[in-house]
Amino acid sequence: MESYLYIALFAPLVGSLFAALFGNSKKIQIVGIVTSLLLAISMVSSIVLLASILQTGESIHVSMMDWIAIGHVYIPFGFIVDEVSATMMVVVTIVSTMVHIHSNGYMDHDKSFNRFFAWLSAFVFSMMILVMSDNFAGLFIGWEGVGLCSWGLIGFWYHKEDVPHSKDITKSPFSTLSPYSAVSPSWAANEAFIMNRVADLGMLIGIFLIFWNLGTLQYDLVFANIGMLSHELVVAIAIFLFIGAMGKSAQFPFNTWLANAMEGPTPVSALIHAATMVTAGVYLVIRANEIFTSVPEVGYFIAGLGAFVAIGAASMALVATNMKKIIAYSTLSQLGYMFVAAGLGAYWIALFHLATHAFFKSVLFLGAGNVMHAMNDEINIKNMGGLKKHMPYTALIMTVASLALAGIFPLAGFFSKDMILEAAFVNEAYIIWTVLWITAGLTAFYSFRLVMYVFYGKENYHHLGYHPHESYGYVIAAMTPLAILAVIAGWFEETFVEFITNSLPMWEGHLEHNTHYMLIGVTSAIAISGVVFAVVYYLKKGTYISGMMNKRFCYKLLANQYYLPHFWNKVIVNPYYKMSVFSWKKIDMKIVDATVDGIAKFIYNGGVEGRALQTGNLSKALKLMVWGIVILLTLVLFFGITK
C-alpha cells in the first residue's frame, strides 16, 4: 500500500512539472491530457487506499526521510493515511480530476493553457501534502503551498486591469472606481494572499507554542500529551490555530477575499471552493480535534462564528447578480455550517458535510463556467434567461446541484445539513439552530433565484449579441460523476459513520424519533418554501415581492457586503497607506537615506580634497607637509602643557 500512497501524492507534482516544461510555449493539448491522466491515477490510488483502510481498519504510516534533525529538534518528512486523510484524499482527487478534464475545454483558447495546468496540478499536490502529512510542520508546508498556488491561479489573467464592469453590482473594497466596478485579477490575488499571510501568522504562533511546550509536532505525540499542558495554554494554542483556519476558510473578519477571488478562471473557483484552499481550515479543526475538544469554550466560539458567517453570507447572495459570486457566497455560508458542527464537537458531521458539499459545489462552478463560455464571459444573471433550451445538460446538472445545496431530500446536501441542525438542537444551541434554519431557507431561495434567472423565462441576451450553445461532450461527461455524487453521497451516511469514527470521536447526540422527524420536517419545509418563493419571485418580477426584496437601504447594504470591505478600507488600509507614505517621505528619505547619503558625500568630498596629495606638484606637497608639521607640533604642545 505504501506505493499507492506515493503515487497518490506525487502524481499531481509530476503533472505540474511536465506542464511547467512547456509553460512559455503555445498551447499543447497533450499537456492538458497528461495532467488529467496523472490526476486520474492519483484518484484511483486514493480510492484503493480508502478501500484498504475500510477493509482492514489499519492506517498507513510512512516516514519518507529525516527532514529536520538538529540537536533535540527532530521532524521527519512523514505521511499518514487514516480514515480522515483518506476521505479528504478521495474528495480532493475526484473533484480535481473532473476539474482538470473540464479545464481542457474551458481553457481551450487561452494562450497560457500550459501554464494554467502547471499551477492547477501544483495546487492539488499542495493540498495532498496538507491532508496527508503526519505532523504540523508538513501540514504548514502544504498550507503555504495552496496559498501560493491560489495566488498564481486567482491572478492567472494578470494582464487584465481594473475597468468599469457592468456585470458586477458590488464595489471593490479598496478600488477608487465606481460602485459597479470589478477589481483586477492581480489585485484579487494579492488581497487573498496578504489576508491569508496575516491569518497564517496566528497559525504559526500556535505551532510554535506546541513545539516549545511539547518538543514535537507529530500528531500522535501532540494529541497524546496535550493534556499535560495548562488549560490556559491549550486555549491559546487552539485560538491561534483557529486564526489560521479563519483565514484559509474565509471566516469573518477574513471573509472579503473570497468573493473577489472569482476573478480567476472558473475551474479555479471550483477547485478552491470544493476541494482545496477553503476546506483546509475545516480540515485543520477536524484533524486537531483532540486540542479543540479539551477547550469547549473555544468550540462554542467557533460554532457561534460559523452561524454568524452562514447567515451573513447567505443574505449577501440574495441580491447579488454576479453568478460566480452568488455561488461563492454559498460556499462561505456552507463553511459556516461546517464550523458549527466542528465547534459543537460533531467533527465527523463536519467532515461529512465537507465531502457532500464538495460534489455539488464543484459542479455548480463548472456549470457556471459552461454558461460563461457560452455567453462570452457574461456573469450578470439578469443578462441571461432561457438558456435551458440551448444548454439542456448544463441546466439539468446545475438544477440537481442547486437542489442538493438547498438540502432537498433525497440529495446529498439534505443528509449532511440536516445532521448539523440536529447537532445544534441536541446541544441546546437553540439560537444557532434558529440561525441555521433561517439560513437553509435563504440558501434554497438564492440557489433557485440563480437557476430561474439563468435558464428560464425571457432571453435577455439578444441585444448583447450572444449566441449560447452547449459545451463540449467531454466537459459534460466530467461534470456527470460529480452530479451523481451530489445525489447519492448522502445515502452512505451509516457506512461513513462506522468508518470515520475509528479516527474521530463519535458525536453523542440522540433525539426521540418524534423530535427527530419533526426537525427534518421543519427543515425540509423551509427549504422547499425557499425554492417555491424563488420561482414565484422570478415569475412575479416587478410586483410587491420584487419591491420588498429591493428596498434601497437593504439592497445597498447587502450588495456592499454590509460595508465590511469599506470599513477595513477606512480602519486599516487607508491609515496603513498614510503611515507608509509618511515613513517613506519623512523617515526613509529625510533620515535614513539622508544619513547614508551624507556619510557617502562626506567620504567622497574627503577623497576629492585628498587628491591634491597625488598631483605630483612638489611645491603643493611641501606646503601640505609644512601644514601637517605645524598641526602636529601644536597638538603636542597643547597636550604637553595640559598634562
Short mmCIF file of all heavy atoms in Angstrom, two decimals, residues 310-348:
data_model
loop_
_atom_site.label_atom_id
_atom_site.label_comp_id
_atom_site.label_asym_id
_atom_site.label_seq_id
_atom_site.Cartn_x
_atom_site.Cartn_y
_atom_site.Cartn_z
N ALA A 310 -22.59 32.01 8.32
CA ALA A 310 -23.55 31.29 7.48
C ALA A 310 -24.70 32.19 7.05
O ALA A 310 -25.03 32.28 5.86
CB ALA A 310 -24.08 30.07 8.22
N ILE A 311 -25.31 32.88 7.99
CA ILE A 311 -26.47 33.72 7.64
C ILE A 311 -26.02 35.01 6.97
O ILE A 311 -26.70 35.53 6.08
CB ILE A 311 -27.32 34.02 8.89
CG1 ILE A 311 -28.69 34.57 8.45
CG2 ILE A 311 -26.61 34.96 9.85
CD1 ILE A 311 -29.70 34.62 9.55
N GLY A 312 -24.85 35.53 7.35
CA GLY A 312 -24.37 36.75 6.71
C GLY A 312 -24.07 36.56 5.24
O GLY A 312 -24.47 37.37 4.39
N ALA A 313 -23.38 35.47 4.90
CA ALA A 313 -23.05 35.19 3.51
C ALA A 313 -24.31 34.88 2.70
O ALA A 313 -24.45 35.30 1.55
CB ALA A 313 -22.06 34.04 3.41
N ALA A 314 -25.24 34.13 3.30
CA ALA A 314 -26.48 33.79 2.59
C ALA A 314 -27.28 35.03 2.27
O ALA A 314 -27.87 35.15 1.19
CB ALA A 314 -27.30 32.82 3.43
N SER A 315 -27.30 35.98 3.20
CA SER A 315 -28.07 37.21 2.95
C SER A 315 -27.45 38.04 1.83
O SER A 315 -28.16 38.66 1.04
CB SER A 315 -28.16 38.04 4.23
OG SER A 315 -26.87 38.44 4.68
N MET A 316 -26.12 38.03 1.72
CA MET A 316 -25.47 38.78 0.64
C MET A 316 -25.76 38.17 -0.72
O MET A 316 -25.83 38.87 -1.73
CB MET A 316 -23.96 38.84 0.89
CG MET A 316 -23.56 39.72 2.05
SD MET A 316 -21.78 39.97 2.22
CE MET A 316 -21.25 38.39 2.87
N ALA A 317 -25.96 36.85 -0.74
CA ALA A 317 -26.26 36.18 -2.01
C ALA A 317 -27.66 36.50 -2.52
O ALA A 317 -27.96 36.30 -3.70
CB ALA A 317 -26.11 34.67 -1.85
N LEU A 318 -28.53 37.02 -1.65
CA LEU A 318 -29.92 37.28 -2.04
C LEU A 318 -30.03 38.32 -3.15
O LEU A 318 -30.95 38.25 -3.98
CB LEU A 318 -30.73 37.77 -0.83
CG LEU A 318 -30.92 36.78 0.32
CD1 LEU A 318 -31.65 37.46 1.46
CD2 LEU A 318 -31.68 35.55 -0.15
N VAL A 319 -29.11 39.29 -3.17
CA VAL A 319 -29.24 40.40 -4.12
C VAL A 319 -28.14 40.42 -5.17
O VAL A 319 -28.19 41.24 -6.09
CB VAL A 319 -29.23 41.75 -3.37
CG1 VAL A 319 -30.38 41.81 -2.37
CG2 VAL A 319 -27.90 41.98 -2.67
N ALA A 320 -27.14 39.54 -5.04
CA ALA A 320 -26.03 39.54 -5.98
C ALA A 320 -26.51 39.16 -7.38
O ALA A 320 -27.39 38.32 -7.54
CB ALA A 320 -24.94 38.58 -5.51
N THR A 321 -25.93 39.78 -8.38
CA THR A 321 -26.24 39.42 -9.77
C THR A 321 -25.05 38.77 -10.47
O THR A 321 -25.20 38.28 -11.58
CB THR A 321 -26.67 40.67 -10.56
OG1 THR A 321 -25.61 41.63 -10.53
CG2 THR A 321 -27.93 41.27 -9.98
N ASN A 322 -23.90 38.80 -9.85
CA ASN A 322 -22.71 38.12 -10.37
C ASN A 322 -22.86 36.64 -10.09
O ASN A 322 -22.86 36.20 -8.94
CB ASN A 322 -21.46 38.69 -9.70
CG ASN A 322 -20.18 38.07 -10.23
OD1 ASN A 322 -20.10 36.87 -10.45
ND2 ASN A 322 -19.17 38.90 -10.42
N MET A 323 -23.01 35.84 -11.13
CA MET A 323 -23.29 34.42 -10.99
C MET A 323 -22.24 33.71 -10.14
O MET A 323 -22.57 32.91 -9.24
CB MET A 323 -23.37 33.77 -12.38
CG MET A 323 -23.62 32.28 -12.37
SD MET A 323 -23.96 31.63 -14.02
CE MET A 323 -22.53 32.23 -14.93
N LYS A 324 -20.98 33.97 -10.37
CA LYS A 324 -19.93 33.30 -9.63
C LYS A 324 -19.91 33.74 -8.17
O LYS A 324 -19.64 32.94 -7.27
CB LYS A 324 -18.57 33.57 -10.28
CG LYS A 324 -18.39 32.84 -11.60
CD LYS A 324 -17.05 33.17 -12.24
CE LYS A 324 -15.88 32.65 -11.44
NZ LYS A 324 -14.58 32.91 -12.09
N LYS A 325 -20.22 35.01 -7.92
CA LYS A 325 -20.21 35.48 -6.53
C LYS A 325 -21.38 34.91 -5.74
O LYS A 325 -21.26 34.69 -4.53
CB LYS A 325 -20.21 37.01 -6.49
CG LYS A 325 -18.86 37.61 -6.85
CD LYS A 325 -18.81 39.10 -6.59
CE LYS A 325 -17.41 39.65 -6.89
NZ LYS A 325 -17.31 41.09 -6.61
N ILE A 326 -22.50 34.68 -6.39
CA ILE A 326 -23.62 34.04 -5.69
C ILE A 326 -23.19 32.66 -5.19
O ILE A 326 -23.43 32.29 -4.04
CB ILE A 326 -24.84 33.90 -6.63
CG1 ILE A 326 -25.41 35.28 -6.97
CG2 ILE A 326 -25.92 33.04 -5.98
CD1 ILE A 326 -26.49 35.25 -8.03
N ILE A 327 -22.52 31.91 -6.06
CA ILE A 327 -22.06 30.57 -5.67
C ILE A 327 -20.96 30.68 -4.62
O ILE A 327 -20.87 29.85 -3.71
CB ILE A 327 -21.57 29.80 -6.90
CG1 ILE A 327 -22.67 29.76 -7.98
CG2 ILE A 327 -21.18 28.38 -6.54
CD1 ILE A 327 -22.23 29.14 -9.30
N ALA A 328 -20.12 31.72 -4.73
CA ALA A 328 -19.05 31.93 -3.74
C ALA A 328 -19.64 32.22 -2.37
O ALA A 328 -19.16 31.70 -1.34
CB ALA A 328 -18.14 33.07 -4.18
N TYR A 329 -20.66 33.07 -2.32
CA TYR A 329 -21.31 33.36 -1.04
C TYR A 329 -21.91 32.09 -0.44
O TYR A 329 -21.91 31.91 0.79
CB TYR A 329 -22.40 34.41 -1.22
CG TYR A 329 -21.89 35.80 -1.50
CD1 TYR A 329 -22.51 36.62 -2.45
CD2 TYR A 329 -20.80 36.32 -0.82
CE1 TYR A 329 -22.06 37.91 -2.72
CE2 TYR A 329 -20.32 37.60 -1.08
CZ TYR A 329 -20.96 38.39 -2.03
OH TYR A 329 -20.50 39.65 -2.28
N SER A 330 -22.41 31.21 -1.29
CA SER A 330 -22.98 29.96 -0.78
C SER A 330 -21.88 29.10 -0.16
O SER A 330 -22.10 28.41 0.85
CB SER A 330 -23.71 29.20 -1.89
OG SER A 330 -22.81 28.51 -2.74
N THR A 331 -20.68 29.11 -0.74
CA THR A 331 -19.56 28.39 -0.15
C THR A 331 -19.25 28.93 1.23
O THR A 331 -19.07 28.18 2.20
CB THR A 331 -18.31 28.51 -1.03
OG1 THR A 331 -18.56 27.94 -2.30
CG2 THR A 331 -17.12 27.81 -0.39
N LEU A 332 -19.19 30.25 1.33
CA LEU A 332 -18.91 30.89 2.61
C LEU A 332 -19.96 30.49 3.64
O LEU A 332 -19.64 30.18 4.80
CB LEU A 332 -18.90 32.41 2.41
CG LEU A 332 -18.34 33.27 3.54
CD1 LEU A 332 -16.95 32.84 3.93
CD2 LEU A 332 -18.35 34.73 3.10
N SER A 333 -21.20 30.46 3.23
CA SER A 333 -22.29 30.08 4.13
C SER A 333 -22.17 28.62 4.56
O SER A 333 -22.33 28.29 5.75
CB SER A 333 -23.63 30.31 3.44
OG SER A 333 -24.71 30.04 4.29
N GLN A 334 -21.86 27.73 3.62
CA GLN A 334 -21.75 26.31 3.95
C GLN A 334 -20.52 26.03 4.82
O GLN A 334 -20.54 25.12 5.66
CB GLN A 334 -21.70 25.47 2.68
CG GLN A 334 -22.96 25.56 1.82
CD GLN A 334 -24.21 25.24 2.61
OE1 GLN A 334 -24.34 24.18 3.21
NE2 GLN A 334 -25.16 26.17 2.61
N LEU A 335 -19.47 26.80 4.65
CA LEU A 335 -18.32 26.67 5.55
C LEU A 335 -18.73 27.02 6.97
O LEU A 335 -18.25 26.41 7.94
CB LEU A 335 -17.18 27.59 5.09
CG LEU A 335 -16.44 27.15 3.82
CD1 LEU A 335 -15.56 28.29 3.31
CD2 LEU A 335 -15.58 25.92 4.10
N GLY A 336 -19.62 27.99 7.10
CA GLY A 336 -20.16 28.32 8.41
C GLY A 336 -20.85 27.13 9.04
O GLY A 336 -20.68 26.85 10.23
N TYR A 337 -21.64 26.40 8.24
CA TYR A 337 -22.29 25.18 8.74
C TYR A 337 -21.25 24.18 9.25
O TYR A 337 -21.41 23.57 10.30
CB TYR A 337 -23.10 24.53 7.62
CG TYR A 337 -24.51 25.03 7.46
CD1 TYR A 337 -24.80 26.11 6.64
CD2 TYR A 337 -25.57 24.42 8.13
CE1 TYR A 337 -26.10 26.57 6.47
CE2 TYR A 337 -26.87 24.86 7.97
CZ TYR A 337 -27.13 25.94 7.14
OH TYR A 337 -28.42 26.39 6.99
N MET A 338 -20.18 24.00 8.47
CA MET A 338 -19.15 23.03 8.86
C MET A 338 -18.50 23.42 10.18
O MET A 338 -18.25 22.56 11.05
CB MET A 338 -18.10 22.92 7.76
CG MET A 338 -18.61 22.40 6.42
SD MET A 338 -17.32 22.47 5.15
CE MET A 338 -18.31 22.61 3.66
N PHE A 339 -18.21 24.71 10.36
CA PHE A 339 -17.59 25.15 11.60
C PHE A 339 -18.54 25.04 12.78
O PHE A 339 -18.10 24.82 13.91
CB PHE A 339 -17.06 26.58 11.45
CG PHE A 339 -15.73 26.66 10.77
CD1 PHE A 339 -15.58 27.30 9.55
CD2 PHE A 339 -14.60 26.08 11.35
CE1 PHE A 339 -14.34 27.37 8.93
CE2 PHE A 339 -13.36 26.14 10.73
CZ PHE A 339 -13.24 26.79 9.52
N VAL A 340 -19.83 25.21 12.53
CA VAL A 340 -20.80 24.98 13.61
C VAL A 340 -20.71 23.55 14.10
O VAL A 340 -20.64 23.27 15.31
CB VAL A 340 -22.23 25.31 13.14
CG1 VAL A 340 -23.26 24.78 14.15
CG2 VAL A 340 -22.42 26.81 12.96
N ALA A 341 -20.71 22.60 13.16
CA ALA A 341 -20.62 21.18 13.54
C ALA A 341 -19.32 20.89 14.28
O ALA A 341 -19.32 20.24 15.34
CB ALA A 341 -20.73 20.31 12.29
N ALA A 342 -18.20 21.40 13.76
CA ALA A 342 -16.91 21.15 14.41
C ALA A 342 -16.86 21.81 15.79
O ALA A 342 -16.36 21.22 16.75
CB ALA A 342 -15.79 21.67 13.53
N GLY A 343 -17.38 23.04 15.89
CA GLY A 343 -17.37 23.74 17.17
C GLY A 343 -18.20 23.05 18.23
O GLY A 343 -17.88 23.12 19.43
N LEU A 344 -19.26 22.36 17.81
CA LEU A 344 -20.11 21.64 18.75
C LEU A 344 -19.61 20.23 19.05
O LEU A 344 -20.27 19.47 19.76
CB LEU A 344 -21.55 21.57 18.21
CG LEU A 344 -22.26 22.93 18.08
CD1 LEU A 344 -23.63 22.75 17.43
CD2 LEU A 344 -22.41 23.61 19.43
N GLY A 345 -18.47 19.88 18.49
CA GLY A 345 -17.87 18.57 18.75
C GLY A 345 -18.30 17.48 17.79
O GLY A 345 -17.87 16.33 17.93
N ALA A 346 -19.14 17.80 16.82
CA ALA A 346 -19.60 16.81 15.84
C ALA A 346 -18.65 16.82 14.64
O ALA A 346 -19.02 17.19 13.51
CB ALA A 346 -21.03 17.11 15.41
N TYR A 347 -17.41 16.40 14.87
CA TYR A 347 -16.37 16.52 13.85
C TYR A 347 -16.66 15.66 12.63
O TYR A 347 -16.40 16.08 11.49
CB TYR A 347 -15.01 16.15 14.45
CG TYR A 347 -14.59 17.05 15.58
CD1 TYR A 347 -14.70 16.62 16.90
CD2 TYR A 347 -14.12 18.33 15.34
CE1 TYR A 347 -14.33 17.44 17.96
CE2 TYR A 347 -13.74 19.16 16.39
CZ TYR A 347 -13.86 18.71 17.69
OH TYR A 347 -13.51 19.54 18.74
N TRP A 348 -17.18 14.47 12.84
CA TRP A 348 -17.44 13.60 11.69
C TRP A 348 -18.57 14.17 10.83
O TRP A 348 -18.57 13.99 9.61
CB TRP A 348 -17.73 12.18 12.14
CG TRP A 348 -19.10 11.94 12.74
CD1 TRP A 348 -19.42 11.92 14.06
CD2 TRP A 348 -20.31 11.68 12.04
NE1 TRP A 348 -20.75 11.68 14.23
CE2 TRP A 348 -21.33 11.52 13.00
CE3 TRP A 348 -20.63 11.56 10.69
CZ2 TRP A 348 -22.65 11.24 12.66
CZ3 TRP A 348 -21.97 11.28 10.34
CH2 TRP A 348 -22.95 11.13 11.32
#
